[in-house]
Amino acid sequence: MSNRTRIITTTLLFLLIIPFNLSAITAEEIINTMDGMQTFDTSYSTGSIKTTDRFGVKESTFKAWSQGSSDSLIEFTSVAERGQKILRTKGSLYLFYPDAEELIRLQGAALRQSLLGSDLSYEDMTEEKNTLDDYTVRLDGSQIVNGHDCHVLTLTAKTRQVAYPIQKIWVDKETYLVWKAAYSTAQGRLLKEMEVLDTIVVDGRTLPKQTKIEDKMKRDSSTIMALDTLEVNIPLDRKIFALENLTW
Amino acid sequence: MVGRRLLCASILIGCFLFGIGAAQNPVVEMNLLSSTAYMLYSQDLMQGMGMDLKISLLSENSGNVRGEVAFRTTYNSLVPTPITSIDDVIYKAYLRARFPSFRLTAGKTRLSWGDGMLFNAADILYGSSSVSVDLTQAELRSKTDWMINVNYPLGFFSFAEAVFLPSMTGEAQDMGVGGRFYTNAGETKVEGGYLTKKETTRVHKLYTSLQGNIGPDWYLASSITIDQSNPSASDIQKSWLISGGLFHMQYLSGERNLSLRLEMLSRPFGTWKFESQSEASCALLLYPEVVYSPTSTLSFSLRAILSPLDFSTMLSAGASWSVFEGFALIANIAAPFGESGDLFNWDGASAAALTLGASWIY
């Protein structure tokens, strides 16, 4: 093969590869876009957590504020838990029980405690949205979920500090909404399943309005977390995420 | 009868002041319990009913002013306790106002200083060293008091607070005053505080408290009391309290979990002898607690207060089943074990008791 032929062949191959490189999205890019879609400068929401078991439905209502990817505050408004608050900031989780005027800092295994007997844990409720800080990610292909074309990704924890060592998630290729997730132990034992039942479009982004969570360790139990209102990018005082406000 | 009149009067006053009908969701907590007790000393078998009732009227949590009035009364036909003043049924009555740089709380409420479920040397406000507690209760310490409290934030996770305890005798020299500082040093919470108040004489109390995580959560506190009129070194040594605790939650297969807690209280200059102990000078006390939850609504607990130096103990075993929203069934059995004169014993009014009941919040 002459030099000229080699140059032409190499150029053609290079030109053929460029479109593939341009169109192929990496797993990390999907996760970053997904996190970005779920993260707002600020947000305020109200909603409910309904847990169904053999004896009926238990419902707790809440108000929640968030800022960026790691600050969130939840205040329960239902009768049995009224005034109880959870503050999550980078690396710390605080609980406030108004009846005992008691401020508790949760650490370690206590973060995995069930929240009000539901299928959600404190960790689930206030999770940070910097997924790539804690997980490595692999793109496994595509699947249709509830009529939506989704990327299928497997996330493997980098540290032991996370609640779920393995996560399999189905991310909408168009909206980057996580329609479905399965959370497992490092040995592959299924711990929880999550499925989005209804969505809401806010600020041009599709977000979960109603989510079903099933703790696979519990029998005959499921929890539906529903948002009644959601406002985003609203002015919020930074002091909302301080201990002073938690104990107010 | 006087007690009932006072309770009714308190509730009527509450209704008048806050308008229960118009109140924004009053919260009622009700525990109804049936107790059967056996007293070995007198060999009496007794049976009675008990009740713990709390009605809370909380203002809407918005704006810069809020408040709460809560009435609480406990009645047990086996050990009737007369209500002697309206203060006995007012559990909380406070106003709280948020100013631009500080927060003011005035009225009857609670401040929680330090950490510890049963033993907490840092609790210099109410004292958390007594073993006269009801181990069948979910919350072992819940005393409230009249106070004025100013909380001054120092950044997002630190604050200083001052507390003024008004005189309840009408004499100005009986008032109390104190303060604490709360911050985080890396992964460790650090607290320190001071309080002076009139007990039998005027005393000055100092404490420090730490909390962190090393796999299990841990907490440690130390306090001393100095008598103003006679500040002798030996009395200060005798007042020295050290408390500490470890808490860990272990997740088992299925939805089962096991929580383990071990607390200790030590008086380093107390009576370190293997003989009968008195509560005031007992050198070492332990509080182990095991709670096993086979499901998220059912739990079995085993709690004990151990006095290792005289080998006596107060033991309690219980079960709680949260059947419906806010409604739970409760069963408990508690008994002291020890010889005559020990910290826990079968002398006098000590009894083994079986309690069955239900609690409801609505």
Side-chain angles (χ1 to χ4, degrees), chain A residues 55 58-59 75 82 94 98-101 105 107 109 112-113 217-218 238 243-245 247-248, chain B residues 25 54 61 66 92 96 98 103 110 112 153 156 184 187 211 249 251 254-255 321-322 325:
Chain A
F55 298 96
K58 294 173 188 169
E59 182 174 1
E75 178 183 342
R82 188 181 303 162
Y94 295 87
D99 196 37
E101 295 285 340
R105 195 164 66 133
Q107 292 171 289
R112 286 169 58 194
Q113 275 185 69
M217 300 293 109
K218 295 183 176 184
R238 175 79 180 87
L243 288 189
E244 194 277 328
N245 186 56
T247 56
W248 166 244
Chain B
N25 302 320
K54 191 171 116 187
N61 193 5
R66 57 174 300 195
K92 282 186 176 182
R96 187 169 286 167
R98 182 151 58 179
R103 190 173 72 196
R110 180 172 173 80
S112 294
F156 283 86
N184 289 301
E187 293 298 307
Q211 184 264 336
M249 184 166 268
Y251 295 89
E255 60 176 306
W321 181 23
S322 301
E325 187 163 337

Side-chain angles (χ1 to χ4, degrees), chain B residues 146-357:
Chain B
W146 296 95
M147 68 181 69
I148 295 170
N149 167 248
V150 175
N151 183 296
Y152 184 77
L154 300 164
F156 283 86
F157 300 102
S158 302
F159 60 84
E161 71 181 350
V163 63
F164 169 73
L165 306 174
S167 167
M168 303 311 286
T169 61
E171 295 177 28
Q173 65 267 28
D174 289 349
M175 64 187 188
V177 65
R180 77 159 162 166
F181 175 68
Y182 179 113
T183 192
N184 289 301
E187 293 298 307
T188 306
K189 184 201 80 177
V190 181
E191 265 187 71
Y194 161 79
L195 180 75
T196 176
K197 67 174 181 177
K198 180 89 178 287
E199 290 184 343
T200 48
T201 58
R202 175 150 297 274
V203 293
H204 301 268
K205 299 182 171 199
L206 292 150
Y207 85 90
T208 184
S209 166
L210 304 169
Q211 184 264 336
N213 179 271
I214 46 165
D217 286 338
W218 63 269
Y219 38 95
L220 191 65
S222 175
S223 67
I224 54 164
T225 301
I226 304 167
D227 190 325
Q228 182 170 292
S229 57
N230 181 26
S232 72
S234 71
D235 284 349
I236 294 170
Q237 286 177 339
K238 281 179 189 167
S239 75
W240 187 17
L241 287 176
I242 299 172
S243 69
L246 290 167
F247 173 77
H248 180 65
M249 184 166 268
Q250 183 65 46
Y251 295 89
L252 307 170
S253 62
E255 60 176 306
R256 298 175 300 147
N257 66 61
L258 187 70
S259 77
L260 306 163
R261 185 186 298 273
L262 177 65
E263 291 184 356
M264 70 93 185
L265 179 78
S266 175
R267 292 178 178 83
F269 291 88
T271 311
W272 288 96
K273 290 180 181 170
F274 287 100
E275 59 184 24
S276 289
Q277 297 284 323
S278 72
E279 187 174 348
S281 63
C282 186
L284 184 64
L285 289 165
L286 299 172
Y287 172 68
E289 180 193 83
V290 179
V291 180
Y292 171 65
S293 302
T295 70
S296 60
T297 56
L298 182 65
S299 68
F300 300 97
S301 63
L302 191 63
R303 295 166 157 183
I305 308 175
L306 296 170
S307 172
L309 296 168
D310 63 11
F311 299 109
S312 68
T313 183
M314 170 64 79
L315 194 63
S316 166
S320 171
W321 181 23
S322 301
V323 190
F324 305 112
E325 187 163 337
F327 177 84
L329 296 173
I330 306 161
N332 272 296
I333 186 161
F337 296 93
E339 294 175 356
S340 181
D342 286 352
L343 192 58
F344 303 103
N345 55 60
W346 283 95
D347 297 348
S350 294
L354 171 69
T355 305
L356 301 170

Side-chain angles (χ1 to χ4, degrees), chain B residues 106-139:
Chain B
K108 191 175 187 186
T109 185
R110 180 172 173 80
L111 281 180
S112 294
W113 288 6
D115 300 279
M117 181 127 177
L118 179 65
F119 296 129
N120 178 8
D123 185 7
I124 55 176
L125 279 161
Y126 312 102
S128 291
S129 59
S130 164
V131 293
S132 302
V133 292
D134 183 357
L135 286 182
T136 64
Q137 295 287 312
E139 201 178 320

Side-chain angles (χ1 to χ4, degrees), chain B residues 36-85:
Chain B
T36 305
Y38 177 69
M39 300 170 80
L40 187 69
Y41 187 72
S42 56
Q43 299 197 328
D44 286 337
L45 183 65
M46 302 159 75
Q47 203 281 323
M49 282 297 292
M51 174 194 74
D52 184 11
L53 175 68
K54 191 171 116 187
I55 300 169
S56 175
L57 304 162
L58 188 67
S59 68
E60 191 181 351
N61 193 5
S62 62
N64 287 317
V65 183
R66 57 174 300 195
E68 181 184 7
V69 172
F71 301 100
R72 184 176 188 175
T73 185
T74 302
Y75 175 75
N76 186 337
S77 65
L78 290 180
V79 196
T81 310
I83 296 170
T84 54
S85 80

Side-chain angles (χ1 to χ4, degrees), chain A residues 111-112 123 131 133-135 156-167:
Chain A
L111 290 171
R112 286 169 58 194
E123 184 85 338
T131 310
D133 287 353
D134 296 322
Y135 290 91
T156 306
K158 292 176 186 173
T159 70
R160 297 180 66 184
Q161 307 304 315
V162 296
Y164 308 111
I166 305 282
Q167 293 188 29

Side-chain angles (χ1 to χ4, degrees), chain A residues 43-44 63-67 71-75 236 240-241:
Chain A
S43 76
Y44 169 70
K63 297 191 275 191
W65 297 258
S66 78
Q67 178 177 263
D71 293 343
S72 60
L73 174 73
I74 296 162
E75 178 183 342
L236 278 187
I240 282 179
F241 307 100

Side-chain angles (χ1 to χ4, degrees), chain A residues 110-122 218, chain B residues 251 296:
Chain A
L111 290 171
R112 286 169 58 194
Q113 275 185 69
S114 165
L115 180 73
L116 310 175
S118 73
D119 296 64
L120 286 159
S121 66
Y122 289 109
K218 295 183 176 184
Chain B
Y251 295 89
S296 60

